[in-house]
Amino acid sequence: MSAAHRPPAPLILTCGEPAGIGPELAPKALAADVPFVWMGDPRHLPAGTHWAEVSTPADPAPAGALPVLRHDFPAPNTPGRPDLTNAQAVADVIARAAAMAMAGQAGGICTLPISKQALKQGAGFAFPGHTEYLADLAGGVDVVMMLASTSVTPPCRVVPATIHIPLEDVPRTLTPALLERTIRITHAGLIRDFGIPAPRIAVAGLNPHAGEGGTMGWQETDWIAPLCERLREQGLAVSGPHPADTMFHAPARARWDAAIACYHDQGLIPIKTLDFAGGVNVTLGLPFVRTSPDHGTAFDIAGSGAADPSSTIAALRMGWDMARKRAAA
Ligand SMILES: NC(=O)c1ccc[n+]([C@@H]2O[C@H](COP(=O)([O-])OP(=O)(O)OC[C@H]3O[C@@H](n4cnc5c(N)ncnc54)[C@H](O)[C@@H]3O)[C@@H](O)[C@H]2O)c1
Ligand SMILES: N[C@H](C(=O)O)[C@H](O)COP(=O)(O)O
């Protein structure tokens, strides 16, 4: 079988914060019915979990068992109460999985939620989250964070140009270079990983009513609209800047394949409102596939068994689909 048609190696599902809902999502994720192994400390799995240790993602595991790539942690987990002595191991699991994906030992990674606060306090984690950490692990590549729906029509795929920064920093961080880079990485990702040959990209204005012709903010008239026009002249199907509050209802969504938001909540509120259970976080621009559920550690319900696995299942299925596309390319 030629390399072009060899299926990718299974995905690695990283354990995330052991005190969050990750450990109870891991066995539930088997319902995704795609090849993956869970990387973490089996002591953190719910009692009664049917698991089997494997040495590599490609190793077979007994039917119905959660394949475990073991990674020992210093401390057991108490649902809802992160133990900061485990923080470094949380980060190490992500790095180990990324290295295996870059080496071709895994078809990609799907990351269960981390607590950014616990990582920062417990391990001096220097990154806002997985997105920036994985970009650094991949050699400092430019990436974007996309939240993509899987169960609404028309789909909702949103990429915020600025991510985990205080709102007051958004206007000075949102530069023409950053917005153009975000648009181009998104455009390439829609082609490569979503199989959309001619992506349509809608850009949200920063200000209410997209600046109302310059009477409610200057960025749109000063540089966002000229940037969109220049990219259109270069052949990219880029529209906007649009008033953000009328971009996300169904008829509006039908006019684009991805929406570029100016800041985190401008984009994540609509997608998580429309499809919280089916939303998937995708990092575009990495040399390997990375998806993640669209939620966090849910400390308020951790350990209760109430965690909905739908987003993790959607993330694993999307990651596997992307891995197969890349293997066949
Ligand atoms: N990709 C990630 O690793 C990621 C994503 C978002 C937030 N976080 C982190 O998670 C922590 C908590 O963040 P938050 O409270 O803002 O968001 P959250 O998503 O953890 O929780 C928000 C609300 O949604 C509920 N919820 C979340 N996932 C659920 C699920 N699968 N099933 C049922 N209910 C669910 C929670 O119970 C809570 O009421 C923070 O440290 C944050 O940084 C991590
Ligand atoms: N901003 C995302 C969300 O709210 O779902 C999430 O925090 C992304 O974090 P990572 O970079 O750790 O995937």
Side-chain angles (χ1 to χ4, degrees):
M1 180 183 288
S2 72
H5 301 290
R6 185 181 299 128
L11 304 175
I12 295 175
L13 179 65
T14 59
C15 61
E17 169 54 53
I21 57 175
E24 63 195 84
L25 290 176
K28 293 179 180 178
L30 288 168
D33 198 21
V34 299
F36 77 90
V37 299
W38 178 80
M39 182 184 284
D41 189 327
R43 293 181 303 164
H44 295 156
L45 293 169
T49 299
H50 178 31
W51 64 273
E53 186 167 354
V54 294
S55 303
T56 73
D59 287 350
L66 176 70
V68 172
L69 269 179
R70 191 184 195 108
H71 194 104
D72 292 332
F73 276 58
N77 57 329
T78 304
R81 291 171 44 209
D83 184 323
L84 297 186
T85 64
N86 281 332
Q88 186 57 52
V90 170
D92 293 346
V93 162
I94 298 166
R96 183 181 161 203
M100 293 179 75
M102 285 187 274
Q105 294 172 289
I109 71 174
C110 181
T111 59
L112 286 169
I114 59 175
S115 164
K116 308 173 196 303
Q117 180 181 345
L119 277 187
K120 194 170 183 66
Q121 290 175 346
F125 195 62
F127 304 93
H130 288 98
T131 303
E132 297 83 358
Y133 184 37
L134 292 167
D136 184 67
L137 291 169
V141 294
D142 284 328
V143 299
V144 300
M145 178 184 76
M146 173 186 276
L147 272 290
S149 69
T150 58
S151 57
V152 294
T153 303
C156 183
R157 305 182 192 93
V158 184
V159 177
T162 64
I163 313 181
H164 295 120
I165 62 173
L167 202 52
E168 66 183 347
D169 294 341
V170 169
R172 64 171 160 268
T173 306
L174 185 70
T175 63
L178 174 62
L179 185 56
E180 178 169 359
R181 189 164 65 239
T182 302
I183 292 168
R184 290 189 181 280
I185 293 171
T186 301
H187 187 271
L190 289 169
I191 295 170
R192 178 179 191 184
D193 290 321
F194 288 87
I196 299 172
R200 301 162 300 160
I201 293 178
V203 177
L206 171 66
N207 299 292
H209 303 288
E212 190 74 27
T215 61
M216 211 179 286
W218 54 271
Q219 289 86 348
E220 291 81 2
T221 49
D222 188 78
W223 65 268
I224 299 178
L227 171 62
C228 292
E229 174 59 27
R230 177 164 60 80
L231 293 176
R232 283 194 292 272
E233 289 167 357
Q234 293 175 10
L236 275 71
V238 174
S239 65
H242 301 284
D245 63 346
T246 52
M247 278 178 64
F248 294 99
H249 59 294
R253 295 202 309 274
R255 295 192 283 267
W256 46 262
D257 299 302
I260 308 293
C262 291
Y263 56 92
H264 186 281
D265 285 358
Q266 188 185 55
L268 270 64
I269 289 173
I271 166 63
K272 291 194 183 185
T273 300
L274 284 166
D275 194 12
F276 190 55
V280 175
N281 175 357
V282 190
T283 305
L284 301 177
L286 289 171
F288 55 91
V289 169
R290 182 263 171 156
T291 62
S292 142
D294 65 354
H295 57 73
T297 54
F299 286 132
D300 54 329
I301 62 168
S304 69
D308 179 351
S310 301
S311 180
T312 298
I313 290 167
L316 282 165
R317 287 175 175 165
M318 185 180 288
W320 181 243
D321 185 49
M322 289 177 174
R324 285 190 306 177
K325 280 191 178 71
R326 291 193 185 198

